[in-house]
Amino acid sequence: MQLSIIILNYNVRYFLEQCVLSVQKALENIEGEIIVVDNASSDDSCAMMQTRFPEITLIRNAGNIGFAKGNNIGVAAAQGEYICILNPDTVVADDTFVKVLAFAKAQKNLGIIGVKLVDGSGNFLPESKRGIPTPWVAFTKIMGLYRCFPKVSFFTKYYASHLRSNQTGKVDILVGAFMFMSRKVYLEVGGFDENCFMYSDDIDLSYLVLQKGKDNFYFHDTTVLHYKGESTIKDGAYMKRFQQAMRFFYQKHFKVPFFFELFMQIGIFFFSALKRIQGKSKKIKAPNHYLLLSSNDKLVEELESVLGKKVVFRLFEGEKMVNSCLFKTNESVEILLDNSHISFKDCISILESLKNQGFTFKIIPKSSNFLIGSNNNNERGTIIEIR
């Protein structure tokens, strides 16, 4: 078997359904498997998996045992030569694994591969590629120095600014939302450190792989949608765990003095608080009407009944025609993407091509009964049931 996809789920049933649909499509021409590990979700994630995807391996844990242990359990059950750790709040393009697998096989000293990630508004997520968060690098991040001096490499190592978002190359640290590597390398470094519950697991694993002399890569030639807010809600529990995670990483690898650890905790607290404030300030007003991109005009009436607002239909004839079919308006418009007629790859491309133009987006996953999307990567996404 070539590839095993490990998806660790906790209470994101609708995002999980869409994620699995996208992974199934992306594995059509690959000998692969999907393993979903559930950390005792209280929603109907497991019931959904058993009903809709009975052929997929589902491992049900008795409790929420954390990101590290949950993924380690998934990898232990994997049979693929390569594995991909994948968040459930992601959507992969149809050719993501074909491209990444080909790139992986061309490398002689492969560590981990990460890809270009965008949020639910189509904006690039800078954590797709990062540097080692040494005390100085972490300081430049927390204090925002990388923003103040974007062209000075001394201040911009946190987000690996030596590479552009559209440039493939070596990096140090990759994000746990998408980590592709050989199963052999994963096992050689012992997988994720189970002493860390979550948040610095990906940093630690990336660093351990580097210490083995392997090369980690950021691969730009495929884009994955990561709603992000589903797994990183900026609340009090998040801040506490993030502080614990950073303390864990520094004590394990850098043995920093107490006063610096204290400074880091204070900085992390204010950084997390700022992110919460930013998230609230970015709230987008409800759309005045909707634009449905599909080949099924009969869906309009059903959507108007559920949404209570006008839905304008546009026949989808390819991602390149999207800009020409949109109309200029001062009103807020939400674009609905019908995955029954638009591939996940095209859905992601549309988000990227129309980012920062005032639109919001939702996807209607194929053969599903809901709309799904996220306008703010600091908060949970929105689910609207339609049938």
Side-chain angles (χ1 to χ4, degrees):
M1 183 173 291
Q2 289 181 290
L3 178 60
S4 298
I5 312 298
I6 314 299
I7 305 172
L8 178 66
N9 178 71
Y10 182 64
N11 286 333
V12 287
R13 170 253 189 273
Y14 292 100
F15 287 89
L16 175 64
E17 181 175 343
Q18 180 176 233
C19 177
V20 172
L21 285 170
S22 73
V23 172
Q24 281 187 322
K25 184 66 178 177
L27 286 179
E28 282 186 345
N29 298 314
I30 297 174
E31 184 185 359
E33 64 177 348
I34 303 171
I35 298 173
V36 174
V37 181
D38 187 81
N39 271 353
S41 295
S42 57
D43 61 11
D44 64 341
S45 292
C46 291
M48 179 277 295
M49 287 298 303
Q50 292 171 329
T51 300
R52 179 149 197 194
F53 307 106
E55 74 283 4
I56 289 178
T57 300
L58 173 65
I59 299 174
R60 304 179 67 167
N61 293 325
N64 184 8
I65 58 177
F67 181 88
K69 191 171 184 178
N71 276 298
N72 286 345
I73 287 173
V75 174
Q79 301 179 43
E81 178 184 358
Y82 294 92
I83 60 168
C84 182
I85 304 299
L86 187 68
N87 267 26
D89 57 346
T90 59
V91 177
V92 300
D94 304 56
D95 58 0
T96 289
F97 296 124
V98 171
K99 286 185 173 182
V100 175
L101 190 59
F103 180 79
K105 290 181 177 180
Q107 308 310 312
K108 296 181 179 180
N109 193 39
L110 180 65
I112 305 173
I113 301 172
V115 297
K116 182 181 180 182
L117 301 173
V118 298
D119 65 16
S121 298
N123 291 297
F124 175 69
L125 290 171
E127 60 267 28
S128 301
K129 51 183 182 67
R130 292 175 289 175
I132 299 171
T134 61
W136 167 250
V137 171
F139 176 80
T140 63
K141 159 66 174 173
I142 291 175
M143 301 307 293
L145 297 177
Y146 71 100
R147 294 183 185 273
C148 299
F149 307 98
K151 296 183 179 181
V152 181
S153 61
F154 190 60
F155 297 107
T156 57
K157 293 182 179 179
Y158 187 87
Y159 287 128
S161 62
H162 67 284
L163 290 178
R164 300 184 300 276
S165 62
N166 61 348
Q167 180 183 9
T168 294
K170 294 180 182 180
V171 295
D172 294 324
I173 306 298
L174 297 160
V175 66
F178 186 107
M179 301 183 86
F180 186 106
M181 71 202 83
S182 72
R183 184 161 55 99
K184 179 180 178 181
V185 167
Y186 187 94
L187 296 176
E188 280 181 359
V189 299
F192 289 110
D193 190 328
E194 296 181 8
N195 291 311
C196 181
F197 188 80
M198 66 186 301
Y199 293 127
S200 71
D201 321 74
D202 49 3
I203 300 174
D204 181 61
L205 184 65
S206 299
Y207 192 66
L208 291 174
V209 170
L210 289 177
Q211 289 181 316
K212 286 286 185 180
K214 302 293 184 180
D215 297 324
N216 293 337
F217 289 92
Y218 165 73
F219 181 69
H220 86 280
D221 200 27
T222 187
T223 304
V224 170
L225 173 59
H226 181 206
Y227 290 106
K228 188 181 176 183
E230 287 305 301
S231 54
T232 55
I233 301 303
K234 303 300 189 294
D235 57 12
Y238 163 82
M239 286 190 294
K240 181 179 179 180
R241 284 179 178 169
F242 191 67
Q243 290 173 7
Q244 292 172 343
M246 293 307 296
R247 184 188 305 119
F248 161 82
F249 182 73
Y250 284 123
Q251 288 179 341
K252 179 175 179 178
H253 297 290
F254 293 104
K255 305 293 189 291
V256 294
F258 171 77
F259 74 89
F260 189 84
E261 181 184 341
L262 180 62
F263 170 80
M264 289 297 298
Q265 290 185 41
I266 294 172
I268 291 168
F269 175 84
F270 283 108
F271 173 73
S272 300
L274 178 62
K275 292 293 287 184
R276 291 209 313 276
I277 294 171
Q278 289 175 339
K280 292 178 181 178
S281 67
K282 291 181 180 178
K283 284 191 179 296
I284 300 174
K285 61 182 179 180
N288 295 101
H289 54 270
Y290 298 85
L291 176 67
L292 172 65
L293 296 182
S294 177
S295 297
N296 179 18
D297 59 353
K298 296 180 181 179
L299 191 56
V300 170
E301 184 176 348
E302 181 179 3
L303 289 172
E304 286 184 334
S305 175
V306 172
L307 299 171
K309 292 181 182 178
K310 182 176 178 61
V311 176
V312 178
F313 175 78
R314 289 289 186 274
L315 180 66
F316 181 77
E317 298 175 343
E319 187 268 326
K320 292 182 179 179
M321 53 72 67
V322 172
N323 278 296
S324 63
C325 83
L326 296 173
F327 44 86
K328 298 295 182 181
T329 175
N330 292 325
E331 299 179 329
S332 59
V333 177
E334 183 156 278
I335 298 175
L336 308 178
L337 304 167
D338 183 2
N339 177 234
S340 293
H341 303 279
I342 306 174
S343 69
F344 281 117
K345 181 178 180 179
D346 280 339
C347 287
I348 296 170
S349 295
I350 290 169
L351 264 65
E352 286 192 279
S353 64
L354 298 178
K355 65 184 178 183
N356 301 323
Q357 295 188 33
F359 300 106
T360 56
F361 307 90
K362 284 190 177 63
I363 296 174
I364 309 170
K366 184 177 181 179
S367 303
S368 297
N369 62 349
F370 57 89
L371 300 165
I372 188 167
S374 176
N375 303 333
N376 185 337
N377 61 33
N378 288 309
E379 297 178 354
R380 285 196 181 278
T382 301
I383 309 295
I384 300 176
E385 295 190 27
I386 57 177
R387 298 186 184 92

